[in-house]
């Protein structure tokens, strides 16, 4: 076989040497535009698994690489005049130049033809080889030449970053967060040999402009950063190497091969530098491609196999890298955190490391986080050195209400209520939820009026008889299980007048149904009842029903009242532009769409003395729908109107949307609302184990969690 | 976990005689369910016809479609076929539906592929409604109709499943993949506020006995050719030994699967006997 490789970076060189080694009779040429020693950047980091893969693929180069490594096991986080160190991680770093030199030597030794100083423009001549490998990096010609086949997409990240070196020898992966008059800057720094470290500075675009860095020369940029991080640099210098401020670009391509052309490494995909995996992915690509070529006699099969093998791995890294980059883009959201939760949040940002993982790596660090959490929860002095529970078992205060732990359990209605009245079944369900040990149990959504019920079997709180039964249930939960109980109160709106939910939901009642109301006359499902648009009289009536129910709830002894502004029920139908197409004061702008729900909240707040929660669908999961940004705005308003807790859920404002039920799917919403609207949140949605609960709480993404298995445990 | 077996309705060259013989053996064996796949533009049997024949020669085993491509079909006729099959078999039927993955099926049926998800949602609602009001059922006995499953891996499919169906039909893969899909299915169910829990069904392929691995793999490559390179993966995952089957069953059971259907890749009826030996 005759193969031509465009680009002599880690991907191209490693592919060339592995291919030549696998089949010495092959003729392999690498064409690199730069001279052998010229390379941008400083050091790169590898993980343990990558090293294992390199060892198996080519022991000779692995041996040389591993003797040139800097190894370390700590992460340092500089934040608000403190340094937090987390140990027990494993990192190895190497200078990019040294790595390339090793790969070049090894390639030459095996008989690869290395051509330097030649920039490839036209690919036509190269296509005559049996295989053309595009390993020419993020701006690669090869991908661009067949863009209509590869279908690349590029996402420009909003922050600016620059890749410096420094003669400061670090002994930890170092994150520095520093705010000055221009804004917030962060540093990602790590050693790569005994004397030198990589020092990446990142900041938001506005900060960058305010600091004049858009106009600054390379020398000015260095001077600015040296001054800003003088303390951490300890009078060492920043070194440049074509160090320009740029935006990171995440590149994806639909396919990575076309006829006899294949893409490797950064030419095919990039993943944000904050999880340090670009070089690793590039070299793993090379291993996979050579393996595939060896396994399949036919080129098409080999290239397909390579792509199928690598795409899922790369997608996983890109997803984690995206989480990580988002964290850094939005890190100002967490600036008010204390150092312990700030550090914990940073370490668990990409979703790959959890509370349990960190406990195994660094028990002392997690102990200090637990101690901080317990102290913050109880308002006592930091309990460092004392035995403290994990965050899940720390108490929570909401106004006058004290919850014994951070776990809530919700009831799914069985639709057995008659005329809205709860029965023995409800009592049993709520008691068994409380007996799981969850500090708080939530009722099913209970209607403020007969027309506010979802189904003919939904519970309600609109008669004195209802209040009596609820009062008995509340007392039983208090006395027999020692838990607190929240009434989830709502009006079904256009999702009302449905059949019992055993055999499916949103299926209109055939007989005995009632007229349904919504913001606008749009049916929830194509065959559903077209609702009537709420008019002034109906709005006044609904406000009165909510306040009456809230008063009854007070008499029943409920500990918390939750109002439903979620899942497409009446109040949520006003919030979503997909269900609210009114042209009066209650439609159009977000402020207008929020007007009626807020009027209900105000009316309830004036009659209900206890803590008030709102269940809010934080996104419609639709492009033109209610968005997470909108949810933050609404949550801020709710806070100002006396709401104490947001129970963040997702979707269901419209029947057909693009939901994602992945692990912890509601947590990003709980996180943003908590830390941007600055109001406590209850997180929900595919939270399967206590590990997720502890991770969410310790990272400050929510204050309370609904644990899924509690809800799904058979009664 | 229950273990069911597939009928070889999509294996080219299978005769009606073989199908009937296969169904008899399955009924006598340790299998909970006899299931069929659906494909139009292929040398395969109609799923309802095949199950009707099976219903006639079996007494115990449950019958299921896993899955029928609903948007290709007229909804009322689909509901009637399913109700008929349920009545014919004395209430042993489970109807699994999905949008299907093959463009050719839509093309040959003259149905627009766009909007197929929304159409399936409507069909699910309608099918249930038609069963319940009894106007089209052969025996208007007031039963709610056969259990409904929905297949598909997207969030939309899971939402649809939680809204209208009784359970989830997974499309195959290692136990790990099943476990993660099952967790999402349960989450979707809980999120929708449905009481109870969804039934979780899984599937896999097998080929047992000397020399059968190769022809089994060839069949799968052909059957899945429309997926391109993915066909190779499916072929490689074929369960070709007793140990492989046992490991797989264990993995699925631990992942929370309620009903696992093993589909044949050869139509020789001794495949039923060999699988029966392992499963019992
Ligand atoms: C700030 C920053 C920090 C990073 N940190 C890390 C880290 O810690 N760990 C890590 O693993 N990765 C890191 N990376 C990513 C890493 O640098 C890349 O992912 C990796 O270099 C990809 O290797 P490659 O061989 O695919 O591409 P490259 O290294 O980009 O190599 C492409 C080569 O092709 C040559 N070339 C391009 N066009 C032509 C042409 N037309 N003709 C001839 N030659 C051509 C180029 O000169 C270059 O030598 C970081 C990246 C950035 C930006």
């Amino acid at each position: 076989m005759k193969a031509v490789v465009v680009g002599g970076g880690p991907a191209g060189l490693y592919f060339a040497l592995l291919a030549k080694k696998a089949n010495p009779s092959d003729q392999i040429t690498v064409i690199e535009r730069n001279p052998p020693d010229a390379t941008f950047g400083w050091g790169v980091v590898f993980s343990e698994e990558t090293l294992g893969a390199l060892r198996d693929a080519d022991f000779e180069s692995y041996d040389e690489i591993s003797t040139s490594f800097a190894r370390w096991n700590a992460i340092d986080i500089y934040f608000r005049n403190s340094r937090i160190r987390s140990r027990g991680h494993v990192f190895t770093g190497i200078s990019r130049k040294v790595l390339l030199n090793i790969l070049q030597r090894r390639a030459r030794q095996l008989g690869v033809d290395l051509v330097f100083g030649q920039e490839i423009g036209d690919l036509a001549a190269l296509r005559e080889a049996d295989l053309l490998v595009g390993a020419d990096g993020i701006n690669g010609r090869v991908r661009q030449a067949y863009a209509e086949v590869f279908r690349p997409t590029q996402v420009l990240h909003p922050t600016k970053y620059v890749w410096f070196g420094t003669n400061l020898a670090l002994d930890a992966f170092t994150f520095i967060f520093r705010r000055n008059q221009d804004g917030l800057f962060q540093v990602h720094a790590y050693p790569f040999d005994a004397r030198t470290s990589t020092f990446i500075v990142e900041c938001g675009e506005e900060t960058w402009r305010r600091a004049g860095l858009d106009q600054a020369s390379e020398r000015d940029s260095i001077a600015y950063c040296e001054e800003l991080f003088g303390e951490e640099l300890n009078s060492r210098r920043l070194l440049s190497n074509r160090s320009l401020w740029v935006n990171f670009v995440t590149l994806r391509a639909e396919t990575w091969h076309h006829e006899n052309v294949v893409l490797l490494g950064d030419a095919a995909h990039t993943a944000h530098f904050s999880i340090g995996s670009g070089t690793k992915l590039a070299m793993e690509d090379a291993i996979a491609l050579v393996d595939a070529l060896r396994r399949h006699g036919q080129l098409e099969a080999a290239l397909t196999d390579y792509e199928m093998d690598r795409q899922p791995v790369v997608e996983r890294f890109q997803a984690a890298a995206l989480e990580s980059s988002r964290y850094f883009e939005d890190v100002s959201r967490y600036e008010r955190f204390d150092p312990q939760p700030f550090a914990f949040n940073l370490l668990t940002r990409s979703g790959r490391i959890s509370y349990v993982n960190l406990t195994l790596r660094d028990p002392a660090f997690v102990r200090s986080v637990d101690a901080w959490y317990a102290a913050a929860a109880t308002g006592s002095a930091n309990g460092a050195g004392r035995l403290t529970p994990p965050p899940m078992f720390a108490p929570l205060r909401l106004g006058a209400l004290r919850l014994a732990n951070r776990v809530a359990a919700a009831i799914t209605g069985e639709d057995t209520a008659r005329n809205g009245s709860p029965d023995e079944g409800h009592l049993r369900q709520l008691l068994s939820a409380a007996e799981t040990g969850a500090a708080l149990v939530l009722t099913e959504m209970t209607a403020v009026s007969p027309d506010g019920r979802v189904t003919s079997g939904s519970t309600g709180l609109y008669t004195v008889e209802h209040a009596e039964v609820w009062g008995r249930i509340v007392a039983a939960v208090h006395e027999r299980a020692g838990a607190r109980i929240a009434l989830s109160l709502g009006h079904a709106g256009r999702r009302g007048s449905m059949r019992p939910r055993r055999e499916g939901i949103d299926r209109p009642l055939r007989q005995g149904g009632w007229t349904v109301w919504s913001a606008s006359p749009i049916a929830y499902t194509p065959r559903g009842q077209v609702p009537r648009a709420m008019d002034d009289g109906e709005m006044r009536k609904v406000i009165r029903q909510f306040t009456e129910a809230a008063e009854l709830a007070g008499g029943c002894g409920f500990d918390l009242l939750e109002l439903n502004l979620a899942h497409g029920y009446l109040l949520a139908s006003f919030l979503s532009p997909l269900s609210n197409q009114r042209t009066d004061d209650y439609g159009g702008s977000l402020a207008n769409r929020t007007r009626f729900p807020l009027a209900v909240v105000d009316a309830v707040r004036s009659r209900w003395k206890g803590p008030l929660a709102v269940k809010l669908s934080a996104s419609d999961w639709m492009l033109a729908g209610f968005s997470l940004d909108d949810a933050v705005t609404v949550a801020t308003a709710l806070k100002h109107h006396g709401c104490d807790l947001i129970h963040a859920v997702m979707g269901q404002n419209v029947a057909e949307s693009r939901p994602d039920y992945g692990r912890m799917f509601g947590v990003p919403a709980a996180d943003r609302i908590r830390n941007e609207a600055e109001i406590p949140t209850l997180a929900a949605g595919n939270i399967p184990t206590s590990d997720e609960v502890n991770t969410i709480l310790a990272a400050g993404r929510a204050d309370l969690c609904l644990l899924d298995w509690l809800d799904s445990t058979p009664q | 976990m229950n273990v069911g077996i597939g009928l070889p309705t999509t294996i080219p060259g299978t005769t009606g005689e073989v199908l009937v013989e296969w169904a008899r053996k399955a009924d006598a064996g340790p299998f909970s369910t006899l299931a069929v796949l659906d494909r139009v533009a292929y040398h395969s049997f109609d799923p309802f016809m095949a199950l009707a024949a099976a219903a006639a020669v079996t007494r115990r085993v449950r019958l299921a479609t896993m899955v029928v491509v609903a948007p290709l079909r007229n909804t009322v006729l689909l509901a009637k076929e399913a109700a008929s099959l349920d009545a014919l078999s004395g209430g042993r039927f489970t109807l699994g539906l999905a949008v299907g993955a093959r463009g050719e099926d839509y093309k040959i049926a003259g149905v627009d592929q766009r909007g197929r998800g929304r159409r399936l949602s409507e069909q699910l609602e309608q099918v249930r409604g038609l069963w319940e009001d009894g106007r089209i059922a052969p025996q208007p006995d007031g039963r709610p109709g056969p259990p409904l499953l929905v297949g598909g891996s997207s969030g939309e499919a899971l939402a649809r499943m939680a809204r209208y169906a009784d359970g989830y039909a997974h499309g195959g893969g290692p136990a790990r993949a099943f476990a993660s899909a099952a967790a999402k299915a349960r989450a979707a169910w809980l999120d929708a506020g449905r009481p109870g829990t969804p039934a979780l069904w899984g599937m896999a392929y097998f080929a047992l006995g000397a020399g059968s691995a190769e022809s089994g793999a060839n069949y799968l490559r052909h059957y899945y050719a429309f997926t391109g390179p993915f066909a190779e993966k499916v072929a490689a995952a074929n369960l070709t030994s007793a140990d492989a089957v046992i490991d797989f069953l264990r993995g699925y059971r631990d992942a929370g699967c309620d009903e696992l259907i093993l589909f044949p890749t050869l139509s020789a009826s001794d495949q039923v006997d060999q699988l029966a030996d392992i499963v019992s």
Side-chain angles (χ1 to χ4, degrees), chain A residues 296 304 308-309 412-415 495 499 501-508 510 524-528 567 621-622 649-650 652 654-663 665 685-686 708 711-712, chain B residues 117-118 121-122 124-126 128-130 132-133 135 144 154-156 158-160 162-166 180 183-197 228-230 232-233:
Chain A
H296 298 270
T304 307
M308 295 232 356
D309 185 24
T412 298
E414 301 269 355
D415 288 332
R495 291 187 82 184
R499 297 187 217 190
R501 287 165 277 204
R502 273 258 154 226
E503 264 82 45
I505 57 174
D506 300 317
R507 308 176 55 232
R510 207 54 67 83
Y524 190 69
T525 60
R527 296 172 169 274
H567 288 171
W621 266 327
M622 290 289 271
V649 295
M650 301 290 288
Q652 289 191 46
V654 287
E656 294 283 332
S657 65
R658 322 201 111 251
D660 172 3
Y661 299 106
R663 207 165 55 102
F665 68 83
N686 201 350
D708 279 8
D711 303 345
S712 52
Chain B
R118 277 169 195 265
S121 290
E122 266 197 79
L124 284 161
E125 215 252 279
Q126 226 185 329
R128 259 278 157 76
L130 285 162
E132 283 173 358
D133 58 47
R135 271 188 303 160
S154 65
E156 288 99 307
L158 292 168
R160 209 168 277 140
R163 173 160 285 130
Y164 295 120
D166 303 297
S180 127
K184 288 184 189 180
R186 278 193 223 101
W189 188 272
L190 208 55
D191 190 55
R194 280 290 293 280
T197 50
F230 186 68
E232 238 1 276
K233 289 240 149 147

Side-chain angles (χ1 to χ4, degrees), chain B residues 251-276:
Chain B
Y252 262 62
R253 189 196 56 203
D254 293 351
C257 182
D258 296 309
E259 182 103 22
L260 176 66
I261 310 293
L262 297 169
F263 280 94
T265 54
L266 270 73
S267 55
S269 70
D270 71 314
Q271 293 289 310
V272 188
D273 307 323
Q274 297 196 50
L275 189 65

Side-chain angles (χ1 to χ4, degrees), chain A residues 203-225:
Chain A
C203 64
E205 170 132 12
E206 273 178 38
T207 301
W208 181 69
R209 285 188 197 288
R210 265 198 301 274
L213 293 165
D214 53 334
Q215 313 281 343
S217 66
E218 194 174 3
R219 186 187 296 237
D220 294 342
S221 287
I222 290 190
Y224 185 93
C225 294

Side-chain angles (χ1 to χ4, degrees), chain A residues 6-12 31-34 39-40 43-46 96 100 118-121 135-141 161-163 190 198 200 248 264-267 269-271 273 276-282:
Chain A
V6 183
I31 304 174
E32 165 60 47
R33 66 182 167 199
N34 289 326
T39 181
F40 68 90
V44 294
V45 219
F46 284 122
R96 178 174 160 100
L100 291 180
Q118 185 184 331
E119 172 137 16
I120 295 298
D136 44 354
I138 173 93
N139 296 314
R141 290 271 316 140
Y161 76 94
V162 60
W163 203 352
Y190 46 90
T198 299
I200 300 166
F248 192 85
L264 284 192
D266 274 14
H269 50 76
T270 59
F273 61 84
S277 56
T279 307
K280 154 208 165 76
L281 291 175

Side-chain angles (χ1 to χ4, degrees), chain A residues 565 591 593-603 634 637-639 641:
Chain A
L565 273 65
R593 282 182 274 130
T594 315
R595 195 180 310 279
F596 178 58
L598 274 185
V600 172
V601 170
D602 286 341
V634 171
L638 288 167
K639 181 177 79 168
H641 286 250

